[in-house]
Amino acid sequence: MMRVPRAALVAASLARLSATGVARADDKASCMAAHEHGQEVRLANHWVEARRLFLVCAQSSCPSLVVQDCTRWELELGPHIPSVVVSAKRADGSDVDDVSLTIDGTAVGRRLPVVPIPLDPGEHVLRFERPGWPAVETRVTLHDGEHDRRVDVRLEPPAEAALVSTQSRGAPVGAYVATGIGAAAAIASVVFLVVGKVDEHNLAVSSCGVAGTCTDPQVSPIRTDYIVSGITAGVAVIAVGLGLWQFLAHKPDATAAGAWLPRLEF
């Protein structure tokens, strides 16, 4: 059997003791740093980070006085930290899978957490994303001790989201205005046409009409009625056509625009 020199054993023992001492010194420094920094971030209302630091300095490897302080602070702070519970659903109420969540610009995960998410008090921006779908952002303001705040969003596929967005805005105002102008012009055209016909009949049965001696001043008003009737009829056609075009252009796609038309099957 090979015998290890006594001096080598002593040197190895001293090395292990030295390494242990350095590790303990590092642990103590980490405990003191967490103890001090945790108090600072707690005062700045960064309660989630403060609680994490208090859990670090509450470990049994830390000095006993530090452990006492950090344990007490963590127990005091825990009930005050607000939290949210998130979910994403389709329009029919079914859950949407593989939705990633970002809170205040920091990614939380590729799938929504199923447990409450602790957050600092104050306003937060939550962004829900699914590949190929429009993202949804929502803002929440959390208060001291507000636990399990529900944040439910609805995600829609691209085509369905565009359709809902378009329909929710309603038809454009210009379409109603143009159609109204067209209807008014059509009524005016009929009125002038009827007045012209009545005046023409009355003039035809008058003495000058029978004799064929009616003058231009007698015929001119009738001619004017017919001209105005024709102009207003043209305005009616243009305005109604413009209104219908705006209604159809407002539809999300050609299929939706023609959905009201009867289908012919051959």
Side-chain angles (χ1 to χ4, degrees):
M1 178 182 296
M2 182 178 295
R3 301 182 62 182
V4 179
R6 182 182 180 87
L9 291 175
V10 172
S13 299
L14 291 175
R16 284 196 297 269
L17 290 174
S18 177
T20 302
V22 171
R24 290 177 178 174
D26 290 342
D27 290 343
K28 183 177 181 180
S30 299
C31 293
M32 299 306 296
H35 180 276
E36 181 179 355
H37 189 49
Q39 299 177 73
E40 295 174 354
V41 297
R42 180 181 62 175
L43 294 176
N45 286 336
H46 300 312
W47 293 353
V48 174
E49 175 64 10
R51 188 183 189 188
R52 185 190 69 80
L53 291 170
F54 292 153
L55 288 173
V56 170
C57 59
Q59 297 179 27
S60 58
S61 57
C62 295
S64 58
L65 293 179
V66 171
V67 172
Q68 292 177 12
D69 287 342
C70 293
T71 300
R72 184 179 75 255
W73 292 337
E74 191 276 327
L75 292 176
E76 291 174 351
L77 185 59
H80 293 275
I81 298 177
S83 62
V84 296
V85 178
V86 299
S87 70
K89 300 180 181 297
R90 298 182 179 86
D92 61 3
S94 60
D95 293 327
V96 183
D97 297 327
D98 64 343
V99 176
S100 62
L101 176 64
T102 302
I103 300 179
D104 300 329
T106 300
V108 175
R110 294 185 178 181
R111 290 186 177 273
L112 296 182
V114 296
V115 296
I117 305 170
L119 295 172
D120 295 327
E123 185 180 72
H124 300 275
V125 178
L126 284 70
R127 182 178 178 87
F128 298 78
E129 294 180 281
R130 190 172 194 251
W133 290 31
V136 174
E137 275 192 3
T138 185
R139 293 177 180 269
V140 295
T141 300
L142 302 176
H143 303 91
D144 183 346
E146 186 178 8
H147 299 297
D148 300 345
R149 168 80 172 271
R150 296 291 311 182
V151 180
D152 303 316
V153 300
R154 192 178 77 175
L155 296 178
E156 301 290 352
E160 186 176 351
L163 177 60
V164 171
S165 176
T166 302
Q167 291 178 340
S168 65
R169 291 194 300 267
V173 176
Y176 292 110
V177 172
T179 305
I181 292 175
I187 294 173
S189 175
V190 173
V191 170
F192 278 103
L193 179 62
V194 171
V195 170
K197 288 292 184 181
V198 171
D199 290 345
E200 182 182 9
H201 174 73
N202 292 336
L203 187 62
V205 298
S206 66
S207 57
C208 73
V210 174
T213 59
C214 295
T215 62
D216 187 68
Q218 291 175 303
V219 177
S220 181
I222 301 174
R223 186 183 301 114
T224 300
D225 287 339
Y226 287 151
I227 293 174
V228 173
S229 176
I231 293 174
T232 52
V235 171
V237 171
I238 294 174
V240 171
L242 180 61
L244 290 176
W245 176 80
Q246 290 192 23
F247 274 117
L248 295 177
H250 180 69
K251 298 294 183 178
D253 51 38
T255 302
W260 54 274
L261 295 174
R263 294 185 178 182
L264 300 178
E265 295 183 359
F266 298 94

